[in-house]
Amino acid sequence: DMAVRHYTLDFNLSTAVDPASTVSGLLSIFHEQELTETIHDTDGHGYLATFGLVTVDLQCYEDDDIAQLDNVRAYTGLPALLRGAKVDRYWPTADGRLIEYDIDKVVYEEDSEYQNIKILHSQQYGNILVLDGDVNLAESDSAYTQAITGSGKENYAGKEVLILGGGDGGILAELVKQKPKMITMVEISFTGKHSLFLDHSKSQQRKTCGDILDNLKGDCYQILIQDCVPLLKKYVQEGRTFDYVINDLTAIPISTLPEEDSTWEFLRLILDLSIKVLHPSGKYFTQGNSANLTEALNLFEERLGRLSCPVDFRKEVVCVPSYLEQWVFYTAWKK
Amino acid sequence: DMAVRHYTLDFNLSTAVDPASTVSGLLSIFHEQELTETIHDTDGHGYLATFGLVTVDLQCYEDDDIAQLDNVRAYTGLPALLRGAKVDRYWPTADGRLIEYDIDKVVYEEDSEYQNIKILHSQQYGNILVLDGDVNLAESDSAYTQAITGSGKENYAGKEVLILGGGDGGILAELVKQKPKMITMVEISFTGKHSLFLDHSKSQQRKTCGDILDNLKGDCYQILIQDCVPLLKKYVQEGRTFDYVINDLTAIPISTLPEEDSTWEFLRLILDLSIKVLHPSGKYFTQGNSANLTEALNLFEERLGRLSCPVDFRKEVVCVPSYLEQWVFYTAWKK
């Protein structure tokens, strides 16, 4: 493995200084910490001295004898960046923060027709599904399924339920326990996220979906492998309604330029059709996005206020363990 | 603000290459992305080329015109490191991972007799208490209080409760609602974490502790400002017992060298005294540490098995929102 351990050290100085004298001054500090050899090895690269702030980078191979470098954390609080490793541990949050996961291996990887799909293993979160670099769901994340099914406050017994997406099987597995009349789950394709779970879930996402995806049809559920948009349009034409519509297709787009991002248009279309097939006393559940993306969330809420069927809504902020950021979920119903 | 934005780019190459030709090759890629000027400014510093792996650092002032540099994330997935900023956003997890918080200001800072105390504000977690660089508790973390009081499965009505530590007031505020006979909370000192909350909680940690810390005595609680060790010894001598003992003093030490870390000895002493004052049908609650610190957790469990009073125990893994890692809590009871 060619991974490099990259330590960053930052010092705030009270006055402007000469770079050369600063570095020689720092060397004596490193010398006390028995770091002299490593500093020498960097041969002048990797430091940048400026007015009032000195940043120093130390780079070495992961398997070099650098036990003493772990003391560096005492100065900076910053653990080493592991760069160029075979298994990437850095998966930024939706709000763009740098986050290091405890990923220890890549379980599965595929470039599908639709997206890059990875299943990564984390010691604490279990298997994590990563789609195009975004953390999607982990085995630890029953909080996600709880939130998008109404946080345990709904009674699904005898109800008609429509799930849009939900390919990981978590929502379906949770709801069949509650004896609904019928759950219809619509997945676009055997490729992508969906095929991944349909084909591989038996070993890789067992905790999330149980054995529910082994069959496409059960006593109180059916899984339709098709695009949900024509199906929703057909339901609207037939006047068919559902007590619950659960949209698990996509988060609210991070981009707040709807005219430049087709996901916003897709989201508006799904939202409009979903509310049309919702029973007058029914509920619509969907995820929002990171609680920090206030601009995108506001834009979504504004759109909720301009649907062809008027709706009220409420939101809930939920901690989904593997997301490492607070996540917003919405409930909407017809006025 | 002298903060530097530090971008790191890593490229995996299939064969060994000459550093100079690699850099000139990379320049043409950057040129396509209109990054030429920024590369030129780094003047040869900040890159390191090795066999099969090239890492490139780009450093610039935070307020430089670097809008186009945000495209860099497309290559690496790594957001820029903000170095030397007045407000530090990087607070590693207990298991040593690099984590960027959404800290936007320092609410309070003090070097007390015991430790460095900071209250930092996070957009999504509210105020966060950081002691000696460790994230201790945030306003979002009612899950911590829930877990260390038995996850809602206990009935405190009419019970005698002893809280060791708990200076943020969250546990006390939660339990007084349940009409216990008497809660005795023992805090060592008006300095440190404890004084911070006792003196400042009115504005800064309102959501965590309510107004419970405004008075040191209420109908069903008393707060004793003293070292808990002599008090526990006195209780043992008097033969006094409690239905619940909640130890909120400290996490299990990360060091797994008990002979070199006095915190382990302190923990053993507290544990032994706590079990001695526990009613035969009582329960002892305490936090463990990060679920990933298996060695430290195992050491703790081994010690639980060697107390002067034999105990059984169970553990629970809980998601405390601001911790950004799964956290272990323990319940112990007399055999």
Side-chain angles (χ1 to χ4, degrees):
Chain A
D1 196 334
M2 299 301 290
V4 167
R5 290 169 68 104
H6 178 169
Y7 293 83
T8 55
L9 294 86
D10 301 327
F11 305 85
N12 280 302
L13 308 177
S14 49
T15 54
V17 292
D18 165 54
S21 66
T22 303
V23 171
S24 75
L26 288 173
L27 280 174
S28 70
I29 295 170
F30 296 139
H31 193 250
E32 285 172 28
Q33 298 296 320
E34 297 173 3
L35 291 173
T36 318
E37 293 307 309
T38 311
I39 286 291
H40 184 73
D41 282 349
T42 66
D43 195 27
H45 288 291
Y47 66 83
L48 170 70
T50 64
F51 304 101
L53 171 70
V54 178
T55 72
V56 177
D57 303 336
L58 307 176
Q59 299 181 341
C60 56
Y61 284 116
E62 195 188 7
D63 51 1
D64 282 356
D65 181 16
I66 42 76
Q68 72 274 30
L69 262 179
D70 286 322
N71 293 323
V72 169
R73 278 188 61 192
Y75 296 111
T76 64
L78 276 200
L81 281 171
L82 201 60
R83 301 177 63 179
K86 275 184 192 128
V87 180
D88 194 353
R89 294 163 62 90
Y90 304 96
W91 301 98
T93 55
D95 71 341
R97 286 174 295 110
L98 177 60
I99 294 284
E100 179 184 355
Y101 281 87
D102 57 342
I103 306 295
D104 51 21
K105 67 177 174 198
V106 178
V107 175
Y108 179 86
E109 179 157 19
E110 182 202 328
D111 279 305
S112 86
E113 190 184 343
Y114 297 102
Q115 57 204 337
N116 175 270
I117 301 160
K118 288 189 189 74
I119 295 185
L120 307 174
H121 183 263
S122 148
Q123 195 183 330
Q124 64 189 311
Y125 302 121
N127 286 332
I128 305 179
L129 175 68
V130 176
L131 298 179
D132 284 339
D134 289 328
V135 170
N136 195 275
L137 197 80
E139 289 183 315
S140 57
D141 297 345
S142 59
Y144 179 95
T145 304
Q146 272 285 301
I148 206 165
T149 56
S151 299
K153 290 175 216 140
E154 304 300 324
N155 179 7
Y156 285 89
K159 300 289 169 61
E160 286 274 1
V161 184
L162 180 63
I163 302 173
L164 308 176
D168 56 74
I171 297 171
L172 185 59
E174 185 56 35
L175 295 189
V176 292
K177 292 180 201 158
Q178 300 189 38
K179 309 284 175 209
K181 186 175 170 196
M182 177 55 73
I183 303 173
T184 304
M185 173 169 142
V186 196
E187 274 292 357
I188 194 168
S189 167
F190 271 108
T191 60
K193 169 185 176 181
H194 322 302
S195 83
L196 180 70
F197 286 109
L198 289 169
D199 293 338
H200 305 277
S201 61
K202 283 163 205 173
S203 56
Q204 287 163 355
Q205 287 263 342
R206 212 56 181 174
K207 285 181 203 162
T208 303
C209 67
D211 57 6
I212 198 77
L213 297 182
D214 293 355
N215 299 298
L216 294 183
K217 213 164 161 50
D219 280 349
C220 63
Y221 73 90
Q222 56 173 335
I223 302 173
L224 306 177
I225 309 296
Q226 60 183 91
D227 184 346
C228 68
V229 173
L231 186 71
L232 281 166
K233 286 179 174 168
K234 185 171 83 87
Y235 287 159
V236 171
Q237 278 190 326
E238 295 171 357
R240 179 150 178 208
T241 60
F242 295 86
D243 299 300
Y244 293 101
V245 178
I246 300 171
N247 175 355
D248 189 35
L249 292 171
T250 177
I252 292 174
I254 291 175
S255 146
T256 48
L257 298 167
E259 60 282 5
E260 291 177 17
D261 185 339
S262 63
T263 315
W264 275 106
E265 181 51 27
F266 175 69
L267 187 140
R268 192 202 57 75
L269 177 66
I270 296 288
L271 192 54
D272 207 53
L273 290 168
S274 296
I275 298 298
K276 280 180 177 154
V277 302
L278 194 64
H279 189 272
S281 65
K283 279 183 184 157
Y284 173 78
F285 295 120
T286 192
Q287 63 171 316
N289 207 314
S290 162
N292 275 351
L293 293 175
T294 44
E295 216 181 321
L297 296 170
N298 288 342
L299 193 55
F300 175 71
E301 291 170 23
E302 189 195 293
R303 302 205 149 206
L304 271 178
R306 290 194 279 124
L307 294 177
S308 53
C309 292
V311 300
D312 274 331
F313 70 91
R314 65 168 169 262
K315 58 182 159 181
E316 188 184 11
V317 178
V318 174
C319 181
V320 179
S322 81
Y323 285 12
L324 305 191
E325 64 192 320
Q326 300 286 75
W327 209 253
V328 177
F329 289 83
Y330 287 95
T331 306
W333 58 92
K334 286 180 172 169
K335 269 186 184 166
Chain B
D1 196 334
M2 300 300 292
V4 167
R5 289 168 69 104
H6 178 170
Y7 293 82
T8 55
L9 294 85
D10 301 328
F11 305 84
N12 279 302
L13 308 177
S14 50
T15 54
V17 291
D18 165 54
S21 64
T22 304
V23 170
S24 74
L26 288 173
L27 280 175
S28 69
I29 296 171
F30 295 140
H31 192 250
E32 285 172 28
Q33 298 296 319
E34 297 173 2
L35 291 171
T36 319
E37 293 309 307
T38 312
I39 285 291
H40 185 72
D41 281 349
T42 67
D43 195 26
H45 287 293
Y47 67 83
L48 170 71
T50 65
F51 304 101
L53 171 69
V54 178
T55 72
V56 177
D57 303 336
L58 306 176
Q59 298 181 341
C60 56
Y61 284 115
E62 194 187 6
D63 50 2
D64 283 356
D65 180 18
I66 42 76
Q68 73 273 31
L69 261 179
D70 286 322
N71 293 323
V72 169
R73 277 187 62 194
Y75 297 111
T76 64
L78 277 200
L81 281 171
L82 200 62
R83 301 177 63 180
K86 276 185 190 128
V87 179
D88 193 352
R89 294 163 63 90
Y90 305 96
W91 300 98
T93 56
D95 70 342
R97 286 174 295 111
L98 177 59
I99 295 284
E100 179 183 355
Y101 281 85
D102 57 342
I103 305 296
D104 51 21
K105 67 177 176 197
V106 178
V107 175
Y108 180 86
E109 177 155 20
E110 182 200 327
D111 279 305
S112 84
E113 190 184 344
Y114 297 102
Q115 56 204 336
N116 175 270
I117 301 161
K118 288 189 190 72
I119 295 186
L120 307 174
H121 183 263
S122 148
Q123 195 183 330
Q124 63 188 312
Y125 302 120
N127 286 332
I128 305 179
L129 175 69
V130 176
L131 298 178
D132 284 341
D134 288 329
V135 169
N136 195 274
L137 197 80
E139 288 183 316
S140 57
D141 297 345
S142 59
Y144 179 96
T145 304
Q146 271 286 301
I148 206 165
T149 56
S151 300
K153 290 175 217 141
E154 303 299 323
N155 178 7
Y156 285 90
K159 300 290 171 61
E160 286 274 0
V161 184
L162 179 64
I163 302 173
L164 308 175
D168 56 74
I171 296 171
L172 184 59
E174 184 56 35
L175 295 189
V176 291
K177 293 179 200 160
Q178 300 190 37
K179 310 285 175 206
K181 185 174 173 196
M182 177 54 72
I183 303 172
T184 304
M185 174 170 141
V186 196
E187 275 291 357
I188 193 169
S189 167
F190 271 107
T191 61
K193 170 183 176 180
H194 321 302
S195 83
L196 179 69
F197 286 109
L198 290 169
D199 294 337
H200 305 278
S201 62
K202 283 163 207 176
S203 58
Q204 287 164 354
Q205 286 263 342
R206 210 59 181 172
K207 285 183 203 161
T208 303
C209 67
D211 57 5
I212 198 77
L213 297 181
D214 293 355
N215 300 298
L216 294 183
K217 214 164 160 50
D219 280 349
C220 63
Y221 73 92
Q222 57 173 334
I223 302 173
L224 306 176
I225 309 295
Q226 61 183 90
D227 183 347
C228 69
V229 173
L231 186 71
L232 281 166
K233 286 180 173 167
K234 186 172 82 93
Y235 286 158
V236 171
Q237 277 191 327
E238 294 171 358
R240 180 151 177 205
T241 61
F242 294 86
D243 299 300
Y244 293 101
V245 177
I246 299 171
N247 175 356
D248 189 35
L249 292 170
T250 177
I252 292 173
I254 291 176
S255 145
T256 48
L257 298 167
E259 60 282 3
E260 291 177 17
D261 184 340
S262 63
T263 316
W264 275 107
E265 181 52 27
F266 175 70
L267 188 140
R268 192 202 59 74
L269 177 65
I270 295 289
L271 192 55
D272 206 55
L273 290 168
S274 296
I275 298 298
K276 280 182 177 154
V277 302
L278 194 65
H279 189 272
S281 64
K283 280 183 184 158
Y284 172 78
F285 296 120
T286 191
Q287 63 171 315
N289 207 314
S290 163
N292 275 350
L293 293 175
T294 44
E295 214 180 322
L297 296 170
N298 288 343
L299 194 54
F300 175 72
E301 290 169 24
E302 189 195 293
R303 297 200 156 211
L304 271 178
R306 290 195 278 123
L307 294 177
S308 55
C309 291
V311 300
D312 274 331
F313 71 91
R314 66 168 169 262
K315 58 182 161 181
E316 189 184 9
V317 177
V318 173
C319 181
V320 179
S322 80
Y323 285 13
L324 305 190
E325 64 191 322
Q326 300 286 74
W327 209 252
V328 177
F329 289 83
Y330 287 94
T331 306
W333 58 91
K334 287 179 171 170
K335 271 185 182 167

